[in-house]
Amino acid sequence: MTRSASFGRVGIAYVIALIVAGSWLGWGPRTDLLWLDTLIADLLGTLVVFGFSRRYRNSSCYDAYWSVVPPVMLFYWWFAGGLGVDQIHCWLVSIAVVVWSVRLTVNWARSFQGLHDEDWRYGMLRDRAGGFGFVADLVGIHLIPTAQVFLGMVPVYVAVTTPGDNMLWLSGIACVLALSAVLLEYLADGQMRRFVGDRRPGQIMDQGLWSWSRHPNYFGEFSFWFALALFGVAASPADAWWLFVGAAAMLAMFQGASIPMMEERSLQRRPGYQDVIDRVPRFVPRLPRPVTV
């Protein structure tokens, strides 16, 4: 299947997923809880994408769902439950989420080779699950990421549906932090893309932002979700104690799953990567340690 045809199949999957989700929100049974109705719709859309993943034997069908759905949820929440909410506050949230979504989706599109090419981590997860590969695919690759993104978006729900005064100054800080995180990811991904295109056999990336952190893209992604939590706090300071749960879940996924898998693979393919581990911080950017002789 050609790359353009693959884009078409993924696009059809997402259109059908959004139609199914929208149909549930429009005509399905209501729980009288806007967030819960949206979660059910989101899970139904995920099941549609999962069906396409199984049809084409490629779970990378799901990858862009991570970045496509959040702005849809945001605008649905805003227009369904945002009466009385400070509109400047809502626009700041919207700018942050839309810029993040466009950047991440475009980055996915640039790296997507087609439905013949699947993210290597998905095959590893299914293989490790043995006879439970189907369950690992459904739960680990599709449903859990959907739940994590939804949890990360809960502060946005609070931000665009909580009427009354909010701390607009904190919303401004959150917007600047979110856009800075997106810029960090953009620069890190661009540097990695150029490196991959020009690298010599066995060469290891430790340049630019990647000399300050072994995973600056993941740090940027976590920073974005942390900024979304700040938007929620700005709208409802009394809920600050739980609004960072989504960002914490993202951090746990990066530190407990994504980064260890990436580093294990790098060490297997490039033994010299151990030198990078010894010199360059794992996550939070800072000056690299000097080379010792």
Side-chain angles (χ1 to χ4, degrees):
M1 185 183 300
T2 64
R3 187 166 181 263
S4 59
S6 297
F7 274 119
R9 301 297 194 281
V10 174
I12 291 171
Y14 288 5
V15 168
I16 295 175
L18 292 175
I19 289 174
V20 169
S23 298
W24 176 268
L25 291 172
W27 299 287
R30 308 309 291 262
T31 68
D32 294 327
L33 295 171
L34 181 60
W35 68 267
L36 184 54
D37 291 333
T38 311
L39 174 59
I40 295 171
D42 192 15
L43 292 173
L44 290 174
T46 301
L47 292 177
V48 171
V49 177
F50 174 69
F52 275 80
S53 293
R54 300 299 293 185
R55 165 65 180 80
Y56 293 108
R57 299 179 181 179
N58 190 328
S59 294
S60 286
C61 281
Y62 177 83
D63 287 350
Y65 195 78
W66 177 285
S67 57
V68 168
V69 170
V72 178
M73 290 196 295
L74 183 157
F75 288 116
Y76 174 70
W77 289 335
W78 185 0
F79 292 115
L83 295 178
V85 180
D86 186 294
Q87 298 301 292
I88 296 177
H89 172 74
C90 291
W91 277 113
L92 289 174
V93 180
S94 301
I95 290 170
V97 173
V98 169
V99 169
W100 166 84
S101 174
V102 170
R103 203 288 312 176
L104 193 54
T105 305
V106 169
N107 186 67
W108 165 80
R110 294 185 67 174
S111 61
F112 181 63
Q113 299 301 309
L115 288 174
H116 61 278
D117 183 35
E118 183 184 51
D119 189 311
W120 59 270
R121 291 171 291 187
Y122 300 155
M124 178 185 293
L125 288 171
R126 290 192 298 267
D127 291 342
R128 289 178 175 177
F132 296 94
F134 178 90
V135 176
D137 195 5
L138 173 61
V139 178
I141 300 175
H142 291 79
L143 293 181
I144 288 179
T146 289
Q148 286 184 302
V149 169
F150 189 89
L151 193 59
M153 285 291 292
V154 167
V156 173
Y157 172 81
V158 173
V160 300
T161 62
T162 302
D165 295 332
N166 63 76
M167 296 185 288
L168 193 58
W169 63 269
L170 184 55
S171 297
I173 291 174
C175 188
V176 171
L177 176 59
L179 295 178
S180 298
V182 172
L183 177 61
L184 174 63
E185 290 184 277
Y186 172 78
L187 294 174
D189 287 339
Q191 289 173 359
M192 179 59 77
R193 189 178 301 109
R194 289 189 293 273
F195 170 78
V196 170
D198 300 333
R199 68 181 171 187
R200 302 182 302 275
Q203 187 178 7
I204 300 169
M205 177 54 156
D206 59 352
Q207 307 163 19
L209 291 171
W210 299 82
S211 68
W212 289 67
S213 168
R214 301 201 298 275
H215 304 278
N217 51 342
Y218 285 143
F219 178 78
E221 186 71 3
F222 164 71
S223 299
F224 170 78
W225 294 102
F226 185 88
L228 294 193
L230 292 180
F231 279 119
V233 173
S236 183
D239 292 315
W241 63 276
W242 64 267
L243 286 173
F244 291 91
V245 172
M250 292 292 178
L251 182 62
M253 180 184 68
F254 295 147
Q255 294 283 17
S258 300
I259 290 177
M261 291 175 70
M262 296 289 291
E263 302 225 311
E264 178 184 349
R265 187 170 189 255
S266 293
L267 285 170
Q268 290 174 349
R269 301 177 67 189
R270 303 177 187 90
Y273 187 70
Q274 183 60 53
D275 174 65
V276 176
I277 292 177
D278 294 338
R279 292 186 295 104
V280 180
R282 172 186 171 106
F283 189 65
V284 179
R286 63 172 174 78
L287 284 172
R289 298 183 183 91
V291 179
T292 57
V293 180

